Amino acid sequence: MNPFELPSAVADAPTYQRNVAHLRARGIVLPRFSELAAPDTLPAGARAMAATADSNAPDARNLFGLHWFNAAATLAGKAVPAHIELPSAVTGVPARIVVMLGRHFPMIHAHKVLAAYACLAPRLVTGMFDPTRHRAVWPSTGNYCRGGVAISRILGCHGVAVLPGGMSAERFNWLEQWVTDPADIVRTPGTESNVKEIYDACAQMAKDESNFILNQFSEFPNYLAHYAITGAAAGALFEGLSAGAPGVRLAAFVAGTGSAGTLGAGDHLKETYGARIVAMEPVECPTLLYNGFGEHNIQGIGDKHVPLIHNVTNTDIVAGVSDAASDDLALLFGTPAGRAYLAERRGVDAATLDGLASLGLSGIGNVLAAIKTARRLDLDADDLVLTVATDGAALYASERAQHLARKGGSFDQVSAGEAFGQHLLGAGADHVLELDHRDRQRVFNLGYYTWVEQQGISVEDFERRRHQRFWRGLREHLAVFDELIARMNRDIGIAQAA
């Protein structure tokens, strides 16, 4: 399946008709991308369905909750995504650092379920994917494959998770409860950085035509969903935060590398507000920074290659963060001693403490990258840096326990002070690279070895991505996807789709 051949029309009419009947029988209608970008535009029936859905179950009504406005806050009289704004007492910089919270997405409590829906929906509504015949295969380092399994369960199709065996125990516990067959959890060697091993496993599986590989690292609908949906949500949040303060600038948007899908939101924010786009990666695996490699524990990012869907030549900064920092801060934010230190010695309020305690490892990494960016660029109180927390701390209790054991089983207020001083107050501008033209070309070229030499993408297709006209043209598919989804909903004929 060529990732550059995006669905644009019904490709298989008999399969399309089977899909319509299959979804009608299950009472399923599908949200359009534009509706998830602006949930207030959803039909009243769809909003009511989402409000009554069980957010921890494969409930079809959850499809209408695949957006950033669950548990929404209100700013300047308008709904904005759930978020926390970190005080300077925590960050040590005058710039405003704001974190959008992905843990309010349904079923997997991480925003990767949005990417999974975005990758499958265009194939479903064109008859390319047949839920009665195909197995949806979701290569991932944890959250995307959980999202894919959740979407598969809703659609009544076979979902297969492919992920490294060294990922957090909580990911596997969740999968074991959701897959229909234990064999649908495929453990590949290694940890977060071992994506090549995932690709190899998928290449073997693809020899069986009933296996339909939905590779988040090369599926452009992943990029498009974040451009349109995450980008719009982040824009709404910035406008709410800056209301009444016209001098506030959106200085940067920070996201981990990972599949590079979330970085697509940066393209929207750069076009609309002039924000710089910052890619965070682990210094233990500094692929973009130094053409480097290695193992690390910032789960969800830093996959030792340049994803096909990363708009490299529009990226402005790469910020390296150590997993030693994210592991230590997970203890600072998530233990009684750490919380006591922050409250008593740093004056952090209870709401901020709760927000910090909710952050997963990559969310902590993004916060650190935002601080390092603010220091590198000398940002001031009129500058705002937006970032995201893909998932929540609940996925990493086992990782915190392991890190605590490595530290001798004790984390007291002295340990808390050391972690705060070293990783927050001491978060300098080291391993931060402002990309010039030559740097962008170097990083772009690095992707050749994965996509052309290993994965068989043509040089011509690979090169098209070097220029911004490719990415601008790609976005035209959003309206096409929406019309295809609307057509299928009309054919399904369930009233809530109106």
Side-chain angles (χ1 to χ4, degrees), residues 475-487:
R475 296 163 202 155
E476 296 174 4
H477 288 274
L478 286 161
V480 177
F481 292 167
D482 271 3
E483 178 50 40
L484 291 167
I485 292 169
R487 172 186 171 172

Side-chain angles (χ1 to χ4, degrees), residues 130-460:
D130 183 344
T132 67
R133 182 174 69 87
H134 286 126
R135 297 200 309 168
V137 179
W138 306 94
S140 171
T141 56
N143 283 330
Y144 174 75
C145 69
R146 293 195 307 121
V149 167
I151 297 298
S152 299
R153 285 284 304 276
I154 285 174
L155 295 178
C157 67
H158 206 134
V160 180
V162 183
L163 73 165
M167 304 308 292
S168 72
E170 289 79 7
R171 282 166 162 77
F172 288 103
N173 293 341
W174 186 96
L175 286 168
E176 287 164 3
Q177 295 173 23
W178 278 69
V179 295
T180 55
D181 184 333
D184 292 338
I185 305 173
V186 178
R187 293 170 169 84
T188 57
T191 55
E192 178 67 44
S193 295
N194 296 97
V195 171
K196 172 62 163 60
E197 290 78 0
I198 297 172
Y199 291 170
D200 291 345
C202 288
Q204 289 299 314
M205 297 176 72
K207 294 177 181 179
D208 181 344
E209 292 184 356
S210 67
N211 289 326
F212 198 102
I213 314 297
L214 292 150
N215 184 352
Q216 62 170 331
F217 300 94
S218 60
E219 280 284 327
F220 290 106
N222 178 7
Y223 164 87
L224 289 171
H226 284 296
Y227 174 86
I229 298 166
T230 303
L237 178 55
F238 169 67
E239 292 183 7
L241 291 164
S242 60
V248 173
R249 302 175 291 267
L250 183 54
F253 174 74
V254 178
T257 47
S259 73
T262 310
L263 283 166
D267 286 0
H268 174 94
L269 297 172
K270 189 173 190 175
E271 290 174 3
T272 309
Y273 306 102
R276 299 172 183 85
I277 301 170
V278 182
M280 184 270 289
E281 72 173 0
V283 296
E284 291 81 8
C285 185
T287 305
L288 308 188
L289 280 168
Y290 310 126
N291 293 7
F293 55 90
E295 299 293 325
H296 68 93
N297 194 45
I298 308 179
Q299 297 190 22
I301 67 133
D303 299 318
K304 206 164 56 181
H305 76 311
V306 182
L308 193 69
I309 67 168
H310 185 179
N311 186 1
V312 170
T313 57
N314 204 35
T315 302
D316 299 292
I317 294 173
V318 180
V321 172
S322 173
D323 65 2
S326 53
D327 283 342
D328 280 355
L329 292 180
L331 295 179
L332 176 66
F333 299 156
T335 60
R339 289 171 63 93
Y341 172 84
L342 291 170
E344 297 166 10
R345 301 292 297 276
R346 298 295 170 177
V348 179
D349 64 88
T352 301
L353 288 174
D354 289 343
L356 292 170
S358 76
L359 300 179
L361 293 176
S362 65
I364 294 171
N366 282 338
V367 167
L368 289 169
I371 294 170
K372 296 180 81 164
T373 299
R375 289 211 167 104
R376 176 61 176 249
L377 300 178
D378 294 320
L379 300 182
D380 62 27
D382 288 329
D383 291 306
L384 191 150
V385 180
L386 269 179
T387 188
V388 299
T390 296
D391 53 24
L395 275 173
Y396 303 101
S398 62
E399 297 297 321
R400 290 193 297 276
Q402 290 176 32
H403 189 56
L404 184 61
R406 289 192 294 269
K407 296 177 76 70
S410 174
F411 190 86
D412 56 19
Q413 288 213 23
V414 173
S415 306
E418 291 173 347
F420 185 89
Q422 180 180 358
H423 302 307
L424 289 171
L425 295 185
D430 57 322
H431 304 297
V432 177
L433 177 64
E434 296 180 65
L435 301 177
D436 61 17
H437 176 74
R438 186 178 296 274
D439 291 321
R440 290 186 176 101
Q441 299 309 309
R442 171 187 62 80
V443 176
F444 183 92
N445 292 342
L446 189 60
Y448 170 90
Y449 302 99
T450 296
W451 297 108
V452 178
E453 290 199 345
Q454 295 178 9
Q455 303 302 318
I457 296 295
S458 72
V459 172
E460 293 75 17

Side-chain angles (χ1 to χ4, degrees), residues 39-52:
D40 58 327
T41 66
L42 282 164
R47 291 199 301 273
M49 288 195 301
T52 57

